[in-house]
Amino acid sequence: MSKKIKNILNKKKKSKIICLTAYSKNVASILDKYCDLILVGDSLGSVLYNYKSTKEVTLDIMINHSKSVKQGIKRSLMVVDMPYNTYRNPKEALKNAKLVMQKTKCDAVKLEGGRKIIPIVKTLIKNKIPVMGHLGILPQTEKKFTFKGGKKIEIANLLKDAKYLEEAGIFSVVLECVETSLAKKITKQLNIPTIGIGSSANCDGQVLVIDDLIGLSESKFKFVKQYANVNKVINLAVKRYKSEVLKKQFPKTKHSFKK
Ligand code: KIV
């Protein structure tokens, strides 16, 4: 097990784990100073490409963005989402996960799902590819985007799935939109850390999509807190630029070359 993964595991019950998504080098290099884990999430499909769902995200897109992100990371653990239809069986998953690991030099991959993907998870781990799980709302296959854990059957299934995934060897699991008391039970039941998004402060760590946190996206999800308004900052800067170009105030001599 790598030092970085040990570090994440050791944080359980000691200190909250800080995670964010990144899709490019410049953003990753800022987040790297503050995050324990940086996720190249397939949420980039909706955030950057305006896709209707993450189903449209390809392996090539994930690899290209991950290569960029890698260049901005010095210390955090880097996890890359395996996109939809790239891990339908152990053979396909191994081929594609190996490609992701080799091309991006990331530390781990993340897969969505519970008991159905256990043979896939085991195959990757047997081949020394660290895996992060993802339970609760599964954006790659979900039909109804509410929360999980309102029904008895959901509670029983999620508790079992989390345990099966831990036994299969994952080092951590994202819980997306899992009801507060169920998130607490799962977190208590597992020896590995849970990372919540819309799953309350009961998780061992938190993750958000960076564009939502800085106010660059138009996301209105209940679980998002906007900590800055970068949209406003960009608007102001571009407005000033336009005005200065129109008034011939930019560029000045100092911005120009002379023989
Ligand atoms: O794709 C993504 O960004 C994710 C996080 C929101 C957990 O899976």
Side-chain angles (χ1 to χ4, degrees):
M1 190 187 292
S2 75
K3 251 191 183 174
K4 282 182 178 181
I5 290 185
K6 266 189 204 149
N7 178 42
I8 297 284
L9 284 165
N10 286 339
K11 283 189 181 264
K12 178 131 185 150
K13 292 187 190 141
K14 288 187 197 122
S15 160
K16 292 283 184 188
I17 301 167
I18 312 301
C19 318
L20 283 169
T21 66
Y23 314 124
S24 66
K25 176 195 153 204
N26 290 348
V27 171
S29 65
I30 300 171
L31 307 191
D32 190 48
K33 290 180 237 149
Y34 308 98
C35 287
D36 300 301
L37 186 156
I38 293 181
L39 170 70
V40 188
D42 60 356
S43 51
L44 60 75
S46 48
V47 178
L48 301 184
Y49 291 88
N50 210 25
Y51 292 158
K52 279 204 189 84
S53 88
T54 52
K55 276 194 170 92
E56 291 175 62
V57 176
T58 64
L59 204 62
D60 278 348
I61 294 180
M62 289 309 294
I63 289 174
N64 286 336
H65 282 277
S66 301
K67 278 181 174 172
S68 172
V69 167
K70 178 69 186 176
Q71 292 177 59
I73 295 186
K74 286 198 186 111
R75 45 172 297 279
S76 327
L77 184 87
M78 176 176 161
V79 181
V80 175
D81 259 342
M82 292 294 293
Y84 180 67
N85 270 355
T86 63
Y87 55 100
R88 287 169 291 189
N89 55 64
K91 198 175 160 202
E92 179 182 65
L94 183 59
K95 180 176 150 259
N96 289 327
K98 267 186 179 169
L99 202 67
V100 168
M101 298 291 291
Q102 276 161 11
K103 296 232 175 198
T104 73
K105 310 277 181 264
C106 67
D107 300 295
V109 294
K110 175 164 81 61
L111 312 183
E112 292 184 10
R115 64 202 71 178
K116 273 194 206 151
I117 66 161
I118 296 300
I120 294 163
V121 171
K122 282 186 177 166
T123 301
L124 298 192
I125 292 169
K126 208 170 114 193
N127 284 277
K128 299 194 167 37
I129 299 177
V131 178
M132 183 175 202
H134 186 142
L135 290 172
I137 291 286
L138 307 177
Q140 291 177 3
T141 48
E142 207 65 59
K143 289 192 182 83
K144 218 173 139 204
F145 282 76
T146 56
F147 71 92
K148 297 280 177 186
K151 298 183 191 125
K152 269 190 181 168
I153 182 80
E154 273 174 7
I155 298 173
N157 280 337
L158 273 173
L159 281 164
K160 272 190 204 152
D161 283 345
K163 202 66 207 159
Y164 293 151
L165 283 169
E166 177 174 52
E167 282 164 7
I170 62 165
F171 69 91
S172 176
V173 61
V174 166
L175 299 182
E176 182 161 350
C177 298
V178 170
E179 189 275 328
T180 303
S181 60
L182 178 57
K184 189 174 185 176
K185 274 189 196 141
I186 297 174
T187 302
K188 204 169 162 207
Q189 171 191 255
L190 300 181
N191 294 309
I192 53 164
T194 57
I195 309 296
I197 174 158
S199 299
S200 83
N202 289 326
C203 298
D204 297 305
Q206 296 294 325
V207 61
L208 278 179
V209 165
I210 184 63
D211 293 53
D212 297 343
L213 179 144
I214 61 173
L216 199 52
S217 67
E218 279 162 16
S219 157
K220 300 262 184 306
F221 294 118
K222 176 183 168 69
F223 55 79
V224 168
K225 180 170 175 188
Q226 194 185 307
Y227 286 83
N229 194 339
V230 167
N231 193 310
K232 207 169 161 184
V233 174
I234 296 176
N235 265 291
L236 280 174
V238 176
K239 207 169 149 189
R240 274 188 63 194
Y241 164 73
K242 180 178 175 179
S243 155
E244 289 192 4
V245 171
L246 289 174
K247 289 187 208 150
K248 297 182 186 162
Q249 289 169 344
F250 176 83
K252 294 205 179 348
T253 328
K254 67 175 179 186
H255 303 118
S256 312
F257 296 99
K258 248 184 172 180
K259 273 199 288 187

